[in-house]
Amino acid sequence: MAEKPKTLSTTEPNESVKPIPPSRRPKTWGNPAFRMPNFKFKAPSRNWVIFLSLTCSFTAAVLYDRFHKRRAQQRWCNTVSHIAQEPLPTNQMPRKITVFLSAPPGDSLRAAREHFHEYIKPVLVAGAMDWDVVEGRKEGDVRASYAERIRKKRRKRGEKSELNTESPDEDQIQVLREKVGTKEWEGAQGDLVLGRNTWKEYLQGLHEGWLGPLNPPPPAPEALESTTDPKPSTQEDDSNANSPGQSDLPQPEPEKSLPPSQLPPYILPSAYSTCSLPPSIPESFPPSLSLPFPHRLGFLNTPLRIYRFLNRRYLADETGQKVAALVLASSTRPYHNETPVSNSAIEDGSPSRHEESLAGVERPQKWEQEDILKDEEKDWHKSAWKGDEEGEGKRVWRDNAVIDGRLGKRMSTFGLTREDEERGRTDDGRERNGQSLLKKLKVWVEWEEETGVKGWEDGLVDGNGQ
């Protein structure tokens, strides 16, 4: 008989198939989620490369600018920090400056406040300075407020006026200080003005306060006609007025005073030269300092705004240097003036300015204050150049700055000496009050104990807080 063919049974082991050794078996992960193909390590695609490159580049630019911005601010804070360590008598008021802020054209006052807190306030705090703020929400607010301040000074110095606008609180505070024997700061105070639009209002308010009258001007004839025109009365109105229930009706509210921005100026710029100086005018005004305030709006200006956002370190350095000059107050200089001479006059051999002055010929003078921060006008919103109000003195931002020579020569500005500027430039800002960044890191991880106190108070108290 023929033999039956052998068949492989499932129960018997197959001798021809060899088992795979453990070294050659594929590795299996504990979590099956990691076996998915999306988690394989591979080179990123073109789109991911573009996205990561742009994101990392912009982030690095922002961090780099922020690092150097803080170093620049710290450098100028260290330059003026020694003033905070100087003792002050208990019967003397600290030095107090006046800060003028105004809303930029087309924006609110918040932008000016944020700029002040970010770039100006750190240096003032480092120098232990006190300040008073004059704010303007609309065009003309700063001009009216500053002019009224000057008129109050003139009234206190003995000039007669029909109005008495002094508040009783200010008088009581002054009387209490005199009783206690508190003295005012004897040195220079100073005015800090932010932006070109605020600078124009500051100049006009200065001229209006010292050259204008103390009493408000009479209202315009059109306003008088609108207020004095009687309304035609009828018999029905008389009967309603005499009715017994008329007293129960709500009475009209009294007219409120106009805001400073709507008050007309006491004097126009064209009349500066015809006004005489008041007897109480000082020989020199407090030094003033104008700071740049770059502020541009609009969607089409986005590239320029991004460029300025990534280069704020230069603005912080420039602003810190000027504010440090104001805090130190080690050097002041008067504003210069120059008489414009045309090229045609030079070619024709016209007489020089000295010869014309000897002959009694007066030529218009060009003061430095007129062109300060003039480049910022290109960044202004178009609403600053448009408006319903027409006439001289009503649009301060749009009109040219006018300087009277008698007041222009009394104005001055702050400046840094060569020693102060070199000390501010050589300090790299890596240290604050003798404490390096490495030491701060050790204190943060609790490897070392912190000594002293934080802030500008360091130096006024010892390490034990006494």
Side-chain angles (χ1 to χ4, degrees):
M1 297 179 59
E3 296 182 357
K4 296 182 179 179
K6 297 181 179 180
T7 58
L8 294 177
S9 62
T10 56
T11 58
E12 298 179 358
N14 189 4
E15 298 179 356
S16 62
V17 179
K18 297 181 179 181
I20 300 175
S23 59
R24 294 184 179 181
R25 292 178 183 177
K27 295 181 179 180
T28 58
W29 300 88
N31 192 343
F34 292 98
R35 302 183 210 169
M36 299 183 67
N38 294 337
F39 289 88
K40 292 182 179 179
F41 293 98
K42 60 180 181 179
S45 61
R46 181 182 66 90
N47 296 338
W48 274 106
V49 169
I50 295 174
F51 172 75
L52 294 176
S53 301
L54 294 178
T55 305
C56 295
S57 300
F58 187 80
T59 304
V62 172
L63 296 178
Y64 178 83
D65 179 74
R66 182 177 296 181
F67 173 75
H68 285 278
K69 171 192 167 185
R70 292 179 178 177
R71 285 184 58 180
Q73 288 184 340
Q74 191 64 56
R75 184 167 60 245
W76 295 113
C77 288
N78 296 340
T79 305
V80 301
S81 60
H82 67 278
I83 300 179
Q85 303 176 7
E86 298 177 358
L88 185 68
T90 56
N91 62 340
Q92 185 178 4
M93 297 290 294
R95 183 186 172 195
K96 190 175 185 178
I97 64 173
T98 306
V99 180
F100 294 87
L101 302 179
S102 179
D107 207 342
S108 62
L109 184 60
R110 181 179 179 181
R113 288 177 177 174
E114 291 179 351
H115 185 89
F116 171 78
H117 284 279
E118 185 175 0
Y119 296 97
I120 304 173
K121 184 179 178 181
V123 185
L124 296 179
V125 172
M129 294 289 295
D130 189 12
W131 63 85
D132 187 15
V133 183
V134 178
E135 295 182 341
R137 299 181 179 274
K138 294 183 179 180
E139 180 180 3
D141 286 352
V142 174
R143 185 265 311 165
S145 302
Y146 187 44
E148 185 60 29
R149 284 193 171 202
I150 297 176
R151 286 191 287 265
K152 287 182 180 179
K153 292 182 181 179
R154 293 172 58 184
R155 295 188 187 100
K156 290 182 179 180
R157 294 176 182 179
E159 295 191 31
K160 297 181 180 180
S161 173
E162 298 178 359
L163 299 178
N164 185 13
T165 58
E166 298 182 2
S167 61
D169 296 338
E170 296 180 0
D171 297 340
Q172 292 178 3
I173 293 174
Q174 189 65 23
V175 170
L176 290 176
R177 288 177 179 175
E178 293 177 357
K179 288 182 179 180
V180 177
T182 305
K183 301 178 182 179
E184 296 290 340
W185 182 266
E186 298 179 355
Q189 301 285 356
D191 297 335
L192 191 149
V193 187
L194 181 62
R196 170 70 176 179
N197 59 324
T198 315
W199 177 251
K200 279 188 172 183
E201 295 192 31
Y202 174 82
L203 293 178
Q204 187 169 349
L206 179 70
H207 287 74
E208 180 183 343
W210 289 112
L211 298 180
L214 295 178
N215 301 323
E222 299 177 356
L224 288 175
E225 292 178 0
S226 60
T227 56
T228 57
D229 284 344
K231 295 184 179 180
S233 59
T234 59
Q235 297 180 358
E236 183 178 357
D237 297 338
D238 296 340
S239 61
N240 293 334
N242 297 329
S243 60
Q246 184 67 19
S247 58
D248 299 337
L249 296 178
Q251 300 295 331
E253 297 181 357
E255 297 182 359
K256 299 181 180 180
S257 58
L258 295 176
S261 58
Q262 298 182 10
L263 294 176
Y266 283 29
I267 185 175
L268 298 178
S270 58
Y272 290 165
S273 58
T274 60
C275 298
S276 58
L277 296 177
S280 59
I281 188 171
E283 293 296 332
S284 61
F285 298 145
S288 58
L289 178 67
S290 57
L291 296 179
F293 182 29
H295 186 75
R296 174 168 286 194
L297 301 175
F299 178 77
L300 298 179
N301 297 321
T302 301
L304 178 60
R305 296 172 66 181
I306 294 177
Y307 173 79
R308 290 180 176 179
F309 177 77
L310 297 177
N311 292 274
R312 292 185 297 176
R313 56 187 181 274
Y314 301 111
L315 179 62
D317 187 23
E318 180 184 1
T319 304
Q321 179 181 0
K322 292 185 176 181
V323 178
L326 181 142
V327 175
L328 295 174
S330 57
S331 175
T332 58
R333 65 168 182 86
Y335 290 101
H336 60 78
N337 64 327
E338 56 184 9
T339 303
V341 181
S342 60
N343 296 331
S344 59
I346 299 176
E347 295 175 357
D348 299 342
S350 301
S352 61
R353 180 173 59 182
H354 178 66
E355 295 175 355
E356 290 183 350
S357 61
L358 294 177
V361 179
E362 297 183 358
R363 303 189 64 179
Q365 296 180 347
K366 184 73 172 180
W367 286 89
E368 180 186 358
Q369 300 94 309
E370 300 178 8
D371 295 336
I372 290 180
L373 303 177
K374 195 172 183 179
D375 296 338
E376 291 187 5
E377 295 184 0
K378 298 182 295 183
D379 296 345
W380 286 358
H381 193 260
K382 59 183 179 181
S383 61
W385 308 104
K386 298 179 182 180
D388 299 334
E389 296 183 4
E390 298 292 341
E392 184 182 6
K394 294 184 178 181
R395 296 305 302 266
V396 186
W397 298 348
R398 188 172 57 184
D399 299 339
N400 296 327
V402 180
I403 302 296
D404 187 82
R406 297 168 295 176
L407 271 63
K409 65 181 182 181
R410 287 177 165 83
M411 299 179 64
S412 59
T413 184
F414 294 97
L416 275 178
T417 60
R418 183 175 298 178
E419 293 78 8
D420 295 335
E421 187 174 359
E422 290 179 356
R423 185 171 69 252
R425 294 297 181 185
T426 53
D427 186 7
D428 58 357
R430 294 182 181 180
E431 297 186 357
R432 177 179 174 86
N433 299 327
Q435 189 177 14
S436 62
L437 295 178
L438 181 60
K439 189 174 182 179
K440 290 181 179 179
L441 181 60
K442 292 181 179 180
V443 171
W444 184 69
V445 297
E446 298 181 356
W447 287 355
E448 293 184 4
E449 295 183 0
E450 186 176 7
T451 59
V453 294
K454 299 180 180 179
W456 61 268
E457 300 91 345
D458 192 5
L460 300 180
V461 296
D462 55 13
N464 298 327
Q466 298 178 357

